[in-house]
Amino acid sequence: MTYHQIATATAAIAAATNRDKHDIALVLGSGLSEYATGLPKAIEVPYERIPGFPVPRVEGHAGSLVSAELGGTNVMVLAGRVHYYEGWPLEEVVFGVRTAVASGAATVVLTNAAGGVGEGLSPGDLVLIKDHLNLTGANPLMGSNDDRLGPRFPDLTGLYNADLRLRASETAGRIGIDLKEGVYAWLTGPSYETPAEIQMIKRLGGDLVGMSTVPEAIAVRHMGSRVLAISLVTNLAAGISPTPLSHAEVQETAAAARSRFSGLIDNLLPHLVA
Ligand code: 8IG
């Protein structure tokens, strides 16, 4: 069922963009969707027009796919994602990245806004995800496995590709952007954590907390493509922050970091082609 839905969506994207293959995919997290506007040779396809694509219900910004061409490489940008906390089954949460991989993306770049837990992290920091903690008890691969998509029991060692992280660090250094590294803990949300939960996450080795990215990373790995993931710290996590968490703070910090984020992505994408 899903396999055919992915194939149908892939065909619709190829037809709508007139590009039969996309080499890289980029998923834009909360507050970061603006990156998709003004890309070279951009063709925008609203998610509503792609069969099977889940359409975000919240936020002012409905999702769309933007196909662009950067230095001869076709890039599929997914501006807007759906989250587990909205009630979507994880199979739907990962439908977009599965379609991107089926469209040819050997590399998928996942971005998000996240809370900072680790020592030395501040709002506005850009952080490469080096590994994750799945604290939800859920997994996008639960249910029967379709062997055409990937193996029943995929290994997640090295999920956040070390070679891609090195290229990202080098790019950031070259353009003078500070890029940290950390472990991302995935929780369902939508409530933020309690201070006690944040202390638990810190002891477990988590540096970042968020409500996305991990299921997508697992699905991309399942299909055999490479993952690079970048968090923008938009708030300090509960109990670390002296003030209560607010979605407004998240949006303000994301807006302030926009040009640094765009600079990093612009310079990085050409170095990620397999
Ligand atoms: I932005 O503090 C953002 N997303 N779980 N906790 C969790 N998700 C987040 C947070 C946070 N900040």
Side-chain angles (χ1 to χ4, degrees):
M1 175 95 166
T2 304
Y3 183 83
H4 290 290
Q5 288 175 324
I6 293 166
T8 301
T10 301
I13 291 164
T17 63
N18 209 19
R19 291 177 178 133
D20 61 7
K21 186 172 185 282
H22 287 84
D23 312 282
I24 299 185
L26 168 68
V27 179
L28 296 172
S30 306
L32 301 172
S33 291
E34 206 179 87
Y35 179 78
T37 57
L39 289 173
K41 301 190 183 170
I43 297 162
E44 182 173 355
V45 188
Y47 289 162
E48 292 92 342
R49 301 220 323 256
I50 309 170
F53 238 73
V55 179
R57 291 179 279 235
V58 289
E59 298 183 65
H61 215 45
S64 35
L65 180 155
V66 177
S67 167
E69 198 188 309
L70 294 174
T73 300
N74 292 342
V75 181
M76 179 187 293
V77 181
L78 299 178
R81 55 155 65 96
V82 299
H83 295 86
Y84 193 41
Y85 63 73
E86 295 171 76
W88 293 95
L90 284 174
E91 193 174 68
E92 303 252 25
V93 169
V94 303
F95 187 82
V97 291
R98 285 204 184 280
T99 300
V101 173
S103 301
T107 304
V108 177
V109 181
L110 303 171
T111 69
N112 62 55
V117 177
E119 299 295 338
L121 288 182
S122 308
D125 282 351
L126 290 166
V127 186
L128 280 176
I129 298 176
K130 63 179 175 186
D131 207 344
H132 76 231
L133 295 166
N134 178 357
L135 300 180
T136 66
N139 191 293
L141 307 184
M142 279 168 72
S144 61
N145 187 64
D146 189 328
D147 296 331
R148 293 170 295 185
L149 295 177
R152 171 76 287 189
F153 299 112
D155 176 30
L156 298 185
T157 313
L159 171 55
Y160 302 91
N161 188 282
D163 181 46
L164 297 181
R165 280 190 281 131
L166 182 62
R167 291 185 209 194
S169 298
E170 285 170 353
T171 300
R174 184 162 49 77
I175 62 175
I177 286 177
D178 182 37
L179 186 58
K180 300 187 160 84
E181 279 205 349
V183 172
Y184 178 97
W186 175 38
L187 291 98
T188 64
S191 57
Y192 292 119
E193 297 68 33
T194 63
E197 286 164 347
I198 292 300
Q199 286 309 309
M200 173 189 77
I201 290 163
K202 196 169 180 176
R203 284 162 183 256
L204 292 176
D207 299 301
L208 302 155
V209 264
M211 307 174 193
S212 69
T213 303
V214 166
E216 293 158 334
I218 292 170
V220 170
R221 173 60 158 249
H222 181 234
M223 294 176 77
S225 285
R226 306 183 303 173
V227 175
L228 181 73
I230 303 171
S231 288
L232 170 65
V233 176
T234 49
N235 62 282
L236 293 181
I240 294 179
S241 168
T243 55
L245 309 195
S246 80
H247 190 57
E249 177 197 8
V250 166
Q251 287 171 317
E252 281 164 32
T253 307
R258 210 158 265 161
S259 68
R260 253 179 324 121
F261 176 79
S262 302
L264 178 63
I265 300 296
D266 280 340
N267 283 278
L268 186 53
L269 290 181
H271 297 285
L272 300 182
V273 184

